[in-house]
Amino acid sequence: MENQIIEGKEPKERILNAAASLFASKGYAAVGVREIADLAQVNVSMISYYFNGKFGILKEIILRYFQEVRQIYEQTWAKNLPPEDALRTIVSELVNLIKNKTIFCKVAITEMPFNLPEFSDFKAEVVRLHIDYIKQGLKLIELFVDDPKYGSIITPAMISLIFSHFLFGPLIKKVWSVETDDEYYDLYAKTISTLMLEGIMGIKKLIEQNNQGEQK
Amino acid sequence: MENQIIEGKEPKERILNAAASLFASKGYAAVGVREIADLAQVNVSMISYYFNGKFGILKEIILRYFQEVRQIYEQTWAKNLPPEDALRTIVSELVNLIKNKTIFCKVAITEMPFNLPEFSDFKAEVVRLHIDYIKQGLKLIELFVDDPKYGSIITPAMISLIFSHFLFGPLIKKVWSVETDDEYYDLYAKTISTLMLEGIMGIKKLIEQNNQGEQK
DNA sequence: AAATTAATCAAACGTTCGTTTAAATTTTTT
DNA sequence: AAAAAATTTAAACGAACGTTTGATTAATTT
């Protein structure tokens, strides 16, 4: 992930892209505003001018991420697909989103587990803002396995599966090198969705076996 | 994740625990040494005395994590289990490790995607140090699906599955609340390993179907 | 008990942090 | 063309950063 000088475009977009690149590489808190300004080739006070401060950049990135994800969900629901196809489509579209906007998505997802004070409030607000389609996503899982306990396990699992290559892939890269072209990401999406679906079917079977065991 | 004042024990352990708690909550870079010292009830210069500085704490945490994981792998190989049982055991043991040492494991795993300069060298060294059992872990996946492309997808997927509840669970908690007792984590381990195994079997089938398709 | 080592402490160091301020410059509007 | 608005700039602010330093205290060794 090279931190190339961000050229062209408007200063605001340059700041956003520079910051995203740096946040994805080092994490939000480890990046200073002067570093962002240098990379974006702007004056440091422009960060306050355009984004009301450093945190404003992070907010913008995360809002954009959630907006993109929302769009994918909404477009998939609009197709009225059967559950399996819906899940495959969502996974495929999400992988595509992450592939095309790796940096933005990585920033959003890697800041999720942290509870910085100012960030907590914002995170709660974003979840509230998007709660409708998050719930619809959960309902999709419930079409397969209708039990909150399993749902609460499977939903985070699905998120992390989709992101797994982008978060942990580089670490494993030390062991082998695989060409990550478009074909790879197609295979990735197919593999992840297969893993999800077959896994969920296996869990469903497990539950049914347990229920039969309990009826005897 | 409450940042309780860390009492008792030796100062060194108190610093370690305080730091781990704060790193897990906010990320390494967002935590200052004075905050750690306050929480651990020590003088700030003791961080340099005992750990040679802030980064030394992070190194210690990550080394301990990898050591624990290594132990799990080694104990599992020593049992000479069939592949399915081996995978289930590893998942179950890893989930248990993370449950019991959530904070330490979370710190280790959430810093993985970042490339802080001093951290990159250390990360590369840790991977080199543990490369033998990392490779054995990859071989376990290859017993199911013997193709580097799939292996390079499935292995990060397995890591992220195991951690999914601990990273993204709190976010989903806004939607529903589930009692996370010991029974929950047993179910979690069983669900994750089932999802993995059934998913891998599904991918295996997919590959075989593709190979049959290519032979015609 | 005295000497040595280890642990703890307060203060300081040099640097960096994000934000603010007011002036200068550029762009847009009248 | 002049006025207003927007953008950019350099400098400064107050705070925080991680580490170092040397003194003090406590623990261990002789």
Side-chain angles (χ1 to χ4, degrees):
Chain A
M1 198 166 299
E2 295 291 326
N3 296 332
Q4 308 285 353
I5 299 286
I6 309 282
E7 292 181 339
K9 295 187 188 177
E10 298 301 312
K12 186 175 178 179
E13 284 298 316
R14 290 209 311 279
I15 294 169
L16 198 68
N17 291 328
S21 174
L22 291 164
F23 293 164
S25 178
K26 302 181 179 181
Y28 168 75
V31 177
V33 286
R34 285 166 182 84
E35 196 177 358
I36 297 168
D38 288 346
L39 185 57
Q41 293 198 310
V42 297
N43 184 281
V44 69
S45 62
M46 286 159 74
I47 288 169
S48 291
Y49 182 77
Y50 282 107
F51 293 96
N52 206 31
K54 184 186 170 191
F55 185 54
I57 310 178
L58 183 60
K59 284 207 258 189
E60 180 74 28
I61 293 171
I62 288 172
L63 283 175
R64 289 191 183 194
Y65 164 75
F66 271 90
Q67 199 58 39
E68 295 271 359
V69 175
R70 176 187 207 107
Q71 215 173 0
I72 288 171
Y73 274 85
E74 283 175 348
Q75 284 168 1
T76 306
W77 302 148
K79 288 179 189 170
N80 248 317
L81 299 172
E84 275 200 28
D85 291 342
L87 191 66
R88 284 190 189 274
T89 300
I90 287 173
V91 171
S92 181
E93 291 297 328
L94 283 176
V95 170
N96 217 44
L97 166 68
I98 304 168
K99 185 191 72 175
N100 291 330
K101 298 182 179 177
T102 306
I103 290 175
F104 273 74
C105 296
K106 186 175 169 182
V107 172
I109 212 73
T110 49
E111 294 300 322
M112 286 296 163
F114 298 136
N115 300 299
L116 296 168
E118 79 248 23
F119 190 43
S120 293
D121 294 339
F122 175 67
K123 206 163 47 170
E125 193 197 324
V126 168
V127 170
R128 191 165 47 241
L129 205 62
H130 293 271
I131 197 70
D132 54 338
Y133 87 87
I134 291 177
K135 279 187 167 171
Q136 287 185 30
L138 302 184
K139 277 187 187 152
L140 179 61
I141 303 295
E142 281 173 8
L143 292 179
F144 297 99
V145 179
D146 184 14
D147 180 342
K149 268 192 189 170
Y150 287 97
S152 78
I153 293 169
I154 294 173
T155 307
M158 180 172 143
I159 297 171
S160 62
L161 269 182
I162 292 164
F163 273 91
S164 54
H165 163 75
F166 301 95
L167 296 181
F168 306 116
L171 192 72
I172 306 292
K173 216 165 211 168
K174 311 278 183 191
V175 182
W176 60 42
S177 57
V178 175
E179 185 67 43
T180 52
D181 49 8
D182 276 355
E183 189 184 324
Y184 181 83
Y185 287 112
D186 287 342
L187 184 66
Y188 181 74
K190 192 181 297 186
T191 306
I192 292 297
S193 48
T194 302
L195 202 141
M196 276 300 309
L197 278 165
E198 296 291 329
I200 288 171
M201 292 306 172
I203 293 165
K204 195 172 174 179
K205 242 186 301 186
L206 195 71
I207 293 170
E208 285 165 358
Q209 285 168 8
N210 285 348
N211 288 343
Q212 285 176 9
E214 284 172 7
Q215 283 173 9
K216 290 185 180 178
Chain B
M1 198 166 300
E2 294 292 325
N3 296 331
Q4 309 285 355
I5 299 285
I6 309 285
E7 292 182 341
K9 296 187 187 176
E10 299 298 312
K12 185 174 179 178
E13 283 299 313
R14 291 210 310 278
I15 295 170
L16 198 67
N17 290 328
S21 175
L22 291 165
F23 292 165
S25 178
K26 301 182 181 182
Y28 168 76
V31 177
V33 286
R34 287 166 181 83
E35 194 177 359
I36 298 169
D38 288 346
L39 185 57
Q41 294 197 310
V42 297
N43 184 282
V44 70
S45 63
M46 285 157 76
I47 287 169
S48 291
Y49 182 78
Y50 281 110
F51 294 97
N52 206 31
K54 183 186 171 191
F55 185 54
I57 309 178
L58 183 61
K59 284 207 262 190
E60 180 74 28
I61 293 170
I62 290 173
L63 284 175
R64 290 193 181 190
Y65 163 76
F66 271 89
Q67 200 58 39
E68 294 272 358
V69 175
R70 176 186 208 110
Q71 215 173 359
I72 288 172
Y73 273 84
E74 284 175 350
Q75 284 168 1
T76 307
W77 302 149
K79 288 178 186 169
N80 248 315
L81 299 173
E84 275 199 28
D85 291 343
L87 191 66
R88 283 189 190 276
T89 301
I90 286 172
V91 171
S92 181
E93 291 296 328
L94 284 175
V95 170
N96 216 44
L97 166 67
I98 304 170
K99 186 192 72 176
N100 290 331
K101 298 181 178 178
T102 305
I103 290 175
F104 273 75
C105 296
K106 186 175 170 182
V107 174
I109 211 72
T110 49
E111 292 301 322
M112 286 297 162
F114 298 137
N115 299 298
L116 296 169
E118 78 247 23
F119 190 43
S120 293
D121 295 340
F122 174 68
K123 205 162 47 169
E125 193 197 323
V126 168
V127 170
R128 191 164 46 240
L129 205 63
H130 293 273
I131 198 69
D132 54 338
Y133 86 86
I134 292 179
K135 278 186 171 173
Q136 287 186 32
L138 303 183
K139 276 187 189 156
L140 178 62
I141 303 294
E142 281 173 10
L143 293 179
F144 296 99
V145 179
D146 185 14
D147 179 344
K149 267 192 191 169
Y150 287 98
S152 77
I153 293 171
I154 294 172
T155 306
M158 181 173 142
I159 297 171
S160 61
L161 268 182
I162 292 163
F163 272 92
S164 54
H165 163 74
F166 301 96
L167 297 179
F168 306 116
L171 191 70
I172 306 291
K173 215 165 210 169
K174 312 277 181 189
V175 181
W176 59 44
S177 58
V178 174
E179 187 65 41
T180 51
D181 49 9
D182 276 356
E183 190 184 324
Y184 181 83
Y185 287 113
D186 287 343
L187 184 68
Y188 182 73
K190 193 181 295 186
T191 306
I192 293 297
S193 48
T194 301
L195 203 140
M196 276 301 309
L197 279 165
E198 296 291 329
I200 288 172
M201 293 306 173
I203 294 165
K204 196 172 175 180
K205 240 186 300 185
L206 193 72
I207 294 170
E208 286 165 358
Q209 285 168 7
N210 284 349
N211 288 344
Q212 286 176 9
E214 284 173 7
Q215 283 175 8
K216 293 184 178 179

